[in-house]
Amino acid sequence: MLDIFDFESRRISKNAEERNPYTDEFYESLLADLKERVDEDRYTHTLGVIEMADILCDVYGIDKKKARLAAAIHDWDKCYNDEEMRKRIFAVGANSYATEEIIDKMPKVMHGATAAFALGIEYPNIPSDVLRAVINHTTANVRMSRLDMVIYIADALDPSRDYPEYDELVDLIGKICLEDLFCRVFAESTIAVIKKGKPLHPKTVEVWNANLEMYNARHAND
């Protein structure tokens, strides 16, 4: 199976369409395709994530082109129901990123991984760090790149969101470092899942504990 994170193998793939992923033409074509794939609310959400990612990039000095691209495709596979997603996981080879429990009980949480696998193969010039940010925008990871954090935070702070902690979190942008902001957003997102009575992803505790340890190390002298 082709490894989507093997950039060179993807770049020279003879069967894949190779296009510059940072042109306005490519970006607009992706948005046009997305609009046909998802419902109106999801498309509006995506535009909001792009907007928030742009703000975060300005504040924290992240590459806007990469963030814009990752934000545009982060919910590419939100159009599938549970059974369709199970089929999609195996069709694109994303089962290597999932346990049987995830595929059986919460397949939709894999929408970032299936999007990254599918688009990474179809468009081999999409950089691996962009694809990783797409994967990590759902459950996060033990070690998040700054691009990962921007997409995760932008997804949670899309301007169309409406929840009690929203204004407080947005107000923290620029007042605390990106890593601390990620920890705050991850905590609120996890609490929200619990309040909704939904199951947590098996690695949520691992992700929280690892990032909390790094948070405490950053603030050891406070």
Side-chain angles (χ1 to χ4, degrees):
M1 183 183 68
L2 192 64
D3 180 358
I4 66 166
F5 298 133
D6 182 351
F7 180 76
E8 287 303 313
S9 292
R10 291 191 293 114
R11 185 179 63 79
I12 64 175
S13 175
K14 294 180 181 179
N15 297 321
E17 180 183 0
E18 296 185 19
R19 299 168 62 184
N20 183 337
Y22 298 131
T23 64
D24 290 339
E25 178 187 5
F26 183 74
Y27 175 72
E28 294 298 336
S29 71
L30 282 177
L31 286 181
D33 289 345
L34 179 70
K35 195 169 186 178
E36 296 298 318
R37 292 176 63 83
V38 300
D39 61 31
E40 184 176 353
D41 287 345
R42 183 59 50 185
Y43 185 73
T44 298
H45 162 70
T46 297
L47 296 181
V49 175
I50 294 169
E51 177 185 344
M52 181 53 68
D54 194 58
I55 293 170
L56 292 167
C57 286
D58 280 339
V59 173
Y60 293 108
I62 309 300
D63 189 321
K64 277 190 178 183
K65 290 183 177 180
K66 290 191 174 187
R68 179 180 74 162
L69 181 57
I73 62 177
H74 82 285
D75 273 353
W76 187 262
D77 275 4
K78 269 286 195 174
C79 51
Y80 298 110
N81 61 33
D82 282 354
E83 190 53 39
E84 290 169 340
M85 181 55 69
R86 292 187 186 98
K87 293 177 181 178
R88 177 75 162 168
I89 290 168
F90 286 97
V92 302
N95 52 300
S96 60
Y97 262 69
T99 63
E100 290 184 7
E101 179 186 8
I102 297 300
I103 296 173
D104 180 50
K105 295 182 178 179
M106 53 182 79
K108 287 184 180 179
V109 78
M110 288 291 294
H111 69 272
T114 58
F117 271 72
L119 291 172
I121 293 172
E122 183 176 1
Y123 302 111
N125 281 358
I126 295 179
S128 295
D129 54 353
V130 170
L131 298 175
R132 288 193 182 93
V134 173
I135 289 180
N136 289 333
H137 91 270
T138 53
T139 60
N141 216 326
V142 170
R143 289 199 175 275
M144 299 278 282
S145 73
R146 288 170 64 79
L147 177 62
D148 293 345
M149 292 178 190
V150 162
I151 302 306
Y152 185 94
I153 295 167
D155 185 36
L157 300 185
D158 144 40
S160 70
R161 299 280 196 189
D162 182 19
Y163 53 92
E165 299 80 14
Y166 179 85
D167 289 339
E168 178 184 352
L169 292 172
V170 170
D171 189 56
L172 291 174
I173 296 174
K175 295 181 179 178
I176 61 177
C177 69
L178 182 64
E179 292 77 7
D180 284 3
L181 182 59
F182 165 71
C183 286
R184 289 290 300 272
V185 172
F186 183 78
E188 294 296 345
S189 297
T190 301
I191 292 169
V193 171
I194 295 171
K195 285 182 176 179
K196 291 177 182 177
K198 294 183 178 181
L200 291 173
H201 191 279
K203 71 177 184 182
T204 299
V205 173
E206 180 185 9
V207 172
W208 171 248
N209 286 347
N211 281 279
L212 179 62
E213 182 177 355
M214 288 184 280
Y215 176 93
N216 289 334
R218 287 193 299 274
H219 295 274
N221 297 320
D222 290 358

